[in-house]
Amino acid sequence: MTWGMKMIDKSATPLDALLAEIACLQAVPSDAVQEKMMADARAVVAENVVAMAAPLPAARGLFGGLSALIGGWAAVGGLTACIALGVGLGVSKPAGLTGLFGTTTQDVVSVSLGVDANPLSLLGG
Amino acid sequence: MLQSPVTTLAPKAIHDQNGALLVAFGNGDLEAARALMGALSPRVVSQATRMLGNGAEAEDVAQDAFMRLWRAASTWRQGEARVSTWLYRVTSNLCIDRLRTRRGSVGLDDVAEPADSTPGALETMQTAARHRALSNALARLPERQAQAVSLRHLEGLSNPEIAEIMEIGVEAVESLVARGKRALAAALEGRKDDLGYEDD
């Protein structure tokens, strides 16, 4: 690092004059530090180029995209299991539920309310 | 022959130019980085040397400050801030960090002196001694006072500019500068004869 000097005004207080004397000195950074600064600049440019050139994620296809939307293949598996259970409950006639809600026939479930459910009888006719 | 540097651009134009250069570097233009470095690195190194009193450390700080500037280039928005103000702030903060780690360890004559080519051996030695003593006295001030005095009297910035860099009010800047100068005067009071400068 080197310094250059210029003329100063000596009419100020001693401290002001000294400050002005120092202020006139302009440091010139050494060649070494200037090279380091430019090397840093080149490194930053290279980093930015690498970041911009990073490949985009590979296309997943329709099912891959849907699974990602739901939460991955584990979530798809759980959802599938739940759907299968629900469908199974809907079409099958679980024996354990028979006594709870009444008798079951081939296609109809009749429920006993404990009263005469004939609407006409309720009207007194 | 001693002479002042010639500036052909108005200050605002210079600031706009620096901003444009930084944006250009953000787009990959290394020549813009070189131009910015040429324009601003002397001021950064000077500021750091005055605050730290050590040329080698000042160059380390300058390199660190410019590295931060390079990294900020890709997101720099021209017109929002001045590159020089931003660099002053970063350099000051880096210097303050270093001063805090070595507070009190700087002796009054521990600073590497700047080269001096003026004739007269005694005058040369006294000039170097004055500079060294002032640099060391600055390094021993509270960081904020040293920063304010350095920016005001050594970098030649206005109080509003310093307020923007230090993120304080203008009155606070004036107070810091006044207190800093009083402390410097007191530190140098006993060495007037040694340093070869006279009373009014």
Side-chain angles (χ1 to χ4, degrees), chain A residues 100-112:
Chain A
L100 188 62
F101 295 109
T103 59
T104 60
T105 60
Q106 184 73 22
D107 295 310
V108 175
V109 174
S110 64
V111 177
S112 172

Side-chain angles (χ1 to χ4, degrees), chain B:
Chain B
M1 183 67 170
L2 301 174
Q3 59 186 355
S4 301
V6 176
T7 304
T8 56
L9 293 177
K12 185 177 187 307
I14 292 173
H15 295 307
D16 293 339
Q17 186 180 56
N18 288 337
L21 286 171
L22 189 59
V23 169
F25 169 71
N27 292 322
D29 184 352
L30 283 169
E31 287 310 306
R34 190 174 297 278
L36 266 176
M37 186 185 67
L40 298 174
S41 64
R43 293 158 73 178
V44 171
V45 173
S46 298
Q47 179 194 0
T49 304
R50 288 158 186 159
M51 286 189 72
L52 296 174
N54 182 299
E57 272 197 278
E59 291 200 332
D60 286 344
V61 164
Q63 185 187 354
D64 197 356
F66 269 88
M67 184 58 167
R68 291 168 191 238
L69 182 66
W70 302 148
R71 292 198 185 282
S74 59
T75 56
W76 187 269
R77 286 183 286 189
Q78 193 173 352
E80 282 195 356
R82 292 178 176 178
V83 176
S84 59
T85 303
W86 189 94
L87 261 183
Y88 272 128
R89 184 183 300 136
V90 167
T91 303
S92 291
N93 290 339
L94 289 171
C95 289
I96 286 172
D97 288 344
R98 289 199 177 224
L99 286 171
R100 282 178 182 155
T101 63
R102 61 174 170 90
R103 177 59 58 188
S105 64
V106 177
L108 206 56
D109 294 298
D110 284 350
V111 178
E113 60 197 65
D116 182 12
S117 60
T118 54
L122 180 60
E123 184 180 348
T124 300
M125 286 193 301
Q126 285 181 335
T127 299
R130 282 200 298 275
H131 297 173
R132 194 163 57 243
L134 180 61
S135 294
N136 278 301
L138 264 176
R140 293 168 75 86
L141 285 181
E143 295 98 3
R144 301 285 272 176
Q145 290 181 21
Q147 184 181 11
V149 171
S150 177
L151 291 174
R152 180 68 184 87
H153 288 283
L154 302 182
E155 304 303 322
L157 301 181
S158 66
N159 287 344
E161 287 176 311
I162 298 170
E164 183 184 347
I165 291 169
M166 296 182 67
E167 298 177 316
I168 57 177
V170 173
E171 289 182 0
V173 170
E174 292 169 354
S175 172
L176 285 171
V177 170
R179 284 186 281 147
K181 287 181 70 177
R182 279 198 297 272
L184 283 176
L188 298 172
E189 179 64 30
R191 301 194 65 196
K192 283 182 187 175
D193 293 335
D194 291 343
L195 302 180
Y197 69 85
E198 301 164 354
D199 291 327
D200 293 333

